[in-house]
């Protein structure tokens, strides 16, 4: 017994400095990643993909064929009012529906087939008549993310309203002297002829969390893999006799089994793969069977869940094996701190600052979310994020294996064993 009171350790400056540096860095980094990524999505918005469809068939006006839809769509594409915030993609209705159904568009603006005919009819309507107001259709896509869909809706609605006012100026000019003879309501209608309607371009089921279930399901897979890696790492160390196992007031310690760092990582990874079958099954059953999440392709969803947990878990085990005790902080930053803001679910990738868009290219949560979103919302289409999800998981697993076994193998070759030679039980006993 040293006779020193335990609380005197609070006087030790290194204790305060070491913990202050680590906890302070953690607080600052989480603030930067979470708040910094979402603080100003509108001004960071760059090339948000939005469909632009001209289905207008045109009409003969004064012996000349006129297509107001073409004028509107060309004007929107050439307009510099929004800078490069929106990437207007001209396409037909079929292509637009396919792109919405793959999550590649956040919304669309559609000029219907009868737009020119119904618009020009306003100038021919008798003063006592009731004109049929032409429409411009704004389509949203919550499955691609509610914030991204909202940004697209704002942009398309504004573009549609501006187009209506521009067409109104042309109609007013065409009526000439007759304009003053029209009723006040008709003159107002001519000034702003088009009604803007908003519809969901890719409706989801009632148990789809307004397009957020894919993100939360993917986040569950990553967190389960990450936390289970911490549990498995600790239990493997206890079973091999390298650490104590405290259960409340009880402490158990097993006999030491000598093992290399590479062997320890291999044992932990094998255990992770086996237990991922259980965890993936329970996550799928819990989300779909118990909580009633809308889902199809259940066998594929189960397989994807198992693989995502396994890959996330092995990645976390690798960081724990390489960095030791600080590894859990690194794991938390990689799988949670940097991952959630760059997943493209709460804030679209196109609305993130450049640094976060760079992180999104390889952060695991974004890749896993894309695959889950494809399975849940887009009929498991390969080019809707599923192929990327599989490929990036395979790449992540390979990178983890090369990094983990490469570094731990180097540790072993350098003699950096977990129990240094001077403290091995046999030699310690001999010295006693």
């Amino acid at each position: 017994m040293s006779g020193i009171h335990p609380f005197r350790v609070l006087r030790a400056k290194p204790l305060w400095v070491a913990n202050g540096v680590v906890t302070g860095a953690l607080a600052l980094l989480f603030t930067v990643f979470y708040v910094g990524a979402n603080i100003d999505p509108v001004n960071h918005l760059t090339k948000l993909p939005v469909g632009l469809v001209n289905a207008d068939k045109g009409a003969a006006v004064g012996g000349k064929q006129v297509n107001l839809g073409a004028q509107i769509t060309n004007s929107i594409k050439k307009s510099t009012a929004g800078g490069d915030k929106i990437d207007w993609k001209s396409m037909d209705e079929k292509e637009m529906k396919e792109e919405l159904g793959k999550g590649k568009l956040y919304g669309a603006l559609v000029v219907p087939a009868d737009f020119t005919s119904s618009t020009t009819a306003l100038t021919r309507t008798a003063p006592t008549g009731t004109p049929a107001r032409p429409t411009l259709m704004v389509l949203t896509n919550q499955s691609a993310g509610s914030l991204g869909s909202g940004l697209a809706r704002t942009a398309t609605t504004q573009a549609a309203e501006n187009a209506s006012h521009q067409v109104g100026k042309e109609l007013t000019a065409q009526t000439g002297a007759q304009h003053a003879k029209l009723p006040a309501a008709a003159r107002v209608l001519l000034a702003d002829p088009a009604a803007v309607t908003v519809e969901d371009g890719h409706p989801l089921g009632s148990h789809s969390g307004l397009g957020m279930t894919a993100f939360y399901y993917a986040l569950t897979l990553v967190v389960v893999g990450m936390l289970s890696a911490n549990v498995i790492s600790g239990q493997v160390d206890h079973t091999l006799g390298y650490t104590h196992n405290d259960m409340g007031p009880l402490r158990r310690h097993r006999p030491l089994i000598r093992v290399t760092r590479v062997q320890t990582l291999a044992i932990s990874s094998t255990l992770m793969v086996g237990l991922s079958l259980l965890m993936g099954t329970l996550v799928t059953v819990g989300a779909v069977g118990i909580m009633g999440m809308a889902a199809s392709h259940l066998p594929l969803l189960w397989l994807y869940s198992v693989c995502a947990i396994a890959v996330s878990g092995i990645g976390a085990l690798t960081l724990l094996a390489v960095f030791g005790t600080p590894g859990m902080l690194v794991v938390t930053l990689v799988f949670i701190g940097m991952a959630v803001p760059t997943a493209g679910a709460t804030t679209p990738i196109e609305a993130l600052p450049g640094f976060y868009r760079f992180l999104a290219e390889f952060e695991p949560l974004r890749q896993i979310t894309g695959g889950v979103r494809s399975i849940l919302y887009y009929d498991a289409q390969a080019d809707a994020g599923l192929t990327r999800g599989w490929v990036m998981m395979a790449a992540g697993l390979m990178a983890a294996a090369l990094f983990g076994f490469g570094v731990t193998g180097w540790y072993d070759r350098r003699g950096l064993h977990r129990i240094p030679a001077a403290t091995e039980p046999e030699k310690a006993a001999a010295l006693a």
Side-chain angles (χ1 to χ4, degrees):
M1 300 290 290
S2 64
I4 299 176
H5 195 281
F7 281 93
R8 290 193 65 182
V9 300
L10 292 174
R11 298 181 182 179
K13 290 183 180 180
L15 180 66
W16 287 95
V17 172
N19 286 281
V21 169
V22 173
T23 56
L26 199 62
L28 179 61
L29 287 172
F30 263 82
T31 302
V32 169
F33 289 133
Y34 275 57
V35 180
N38 300 284
I39 201 167
D40 194 7
V42 174
N43 283 332
H44 288 131
L45 188 64
T46 304
K47 295 189 179 300
L48 188 77
V50 177
L52 188 59
V53 178
N54 176 30
D56 189 9
K57 296 181 179 179
V61 179
K64 185 172 68 172
Q65 188 69 17
V66 175
N67 191 305
L68 294 177
Q71 295 179 26
I72 289 174
T73 53
N74 289 335
S75 174
I76 290 174
K77 291 211 69 173
K78 293 178 181 178
S79 174
T80 59
D84 61 350
K85 293 182 181 296
I86 303 297
D87 182 12
W88 296 104
K89 296 183 177 295
S90 298
M91 55 186 66
D92 58 30
E93 286 187 279
K94 180 181 178 182
E95 185 180 3
M96 178 265 295
K97 292 178 180 178
E98 291 176 350
E99 296 291 282
L100 287 173
K102 294 177 181 178
K104 295 185 177 182
L105 296 176
Y106 286 92
L109 175 60
V110 180
V111 183
D114 63 344
F115 185 78
T116 298
S117 59
S118 57
T119 301
T120 54
L122 296 177
T123 61
R124 300 191 300 270
T125 304
T128 57
T130 302
R133 195 176 185 186
T135 62
L136 292 172
M137 186 180 300
V138 170
L139 298 180
T140 60
N141 190 8
Q142 280 194 333
S143 67
S146 56
L147 179 57
S149 179
L151 291 171
R153 173 176 175 170
T154 299
T156 49
T157 300
Q158 184 177 0
E161 291 172 349
N162 291 340
S164 178
H165 289 134
Q166 184 60 40
V167 171
K169 292 179 181 179
E170 296 179 12
L171 292 179
T172 300
Q174 289 176 13
T175 58
Q178 297 296 321
H179 185 265
K181 300 179 182 180
L182 295 174
R187 291 198 299 270
V188 171
L189 182 59
L190 282 178
D192 184 15
V196 180
T197 61
V198 180
E199 297 181 10
D200 192 344
H202 184 71
L204 298 175
S206 59
H207 288 76
S208 297
L210 300 177
M212 292 297 291
T213 50
F215 167 68
Y216 286 113
Y217 188 91
L219 180 61
T220 300
L221 299 177
V222 171
V223 170
V224 167
M226 180 189 78
L227 295 181
S228 62
N230 192 44
V231 173
I232 288 172
S233 178
Q235 290 301 310
V236 168
D237 284 348
H238 166 64
T239 302
L240 294 173
Y242 282 86
T243 61
H244 297 284
N245 189 19
D246 291 327
M247 299 293 290
L250 303 177
R251 167 169 286 197
R252 295 187 61 189
H253 190 79
R254 294 177 178 271
L256 179 65
I257 300 175
R258 301 190 179 283
V259 64
T260 65
R261 292 178 182 270
V262 168
Q263 290 171 332
T264 303
L265 180 57
I267 293 169
S268 300
S269 299
T270 301
L271 194 59
M272 174 62 72
V273 171
L275 292 179
S276 293
L277 295 169
L278 171 65
M279 292 184 284
T281 300
L282 292 177
V283 169
T284 306
V285 169
V288 180
I290 298 176
M291 303 310 299
M293 182 182 76
S296 56
H297 306 282
L298 288 180
L300 178 59
L301 180 63
W302 171 81
L303 178 62
Y304 193 86
S305 302
V306 169
C307 293
I309 291 175
V311 172
S312 299
I314 291 174
L317 285 170
T318 294
L319 295 176
L320 291 170
V322 170
F323 295 105
T325 301
M328 197 58 202
L329 296 178
V330 179
V331 169
T332 303
L333 285 174
V334 171
F335 288 91
I336 301 297
M338 294 188 294
V340 172
T342 60
T346 53
T347 303
I349 303 299
E350 294 82 2
L352 294 174
F355 171 69
Y356 301 90
R357 289 199 296 271
F358 167 73
L359 289 180
E361 291 301 315
F362 56 84
E363 267 297 327
L365 182 57
R366 187 215 172 179
Q367 327 307 328
I368 294 173
T369 299
V372 173
R373 183 179 282 153
S374 174
I375 296 171
L376 295 183
Y377 305 153
Y378 306 134
D379 198 29
Q381 296 179 82
D383 57 346
L386 187 56
T387 296
R388 179 186 175 92
W390 283 121
V391 169
M392 293 301 288
M393 278 201 292
L397 181 61
M398 185 177 299
L402 292 174
F403 179 62
F405 288 108
V407 174
T408 54
W410 181 78
Y411 290 164
D412 288 335
R413 290 191 299 273
R414 291 291 302 271
L416 301 173
H417 304 300
R418 300 189 65 191
I419 296 184
T423 59
E424 289 182 0
E426 296 85 349
K427 293 187 178 181
L431 292 174

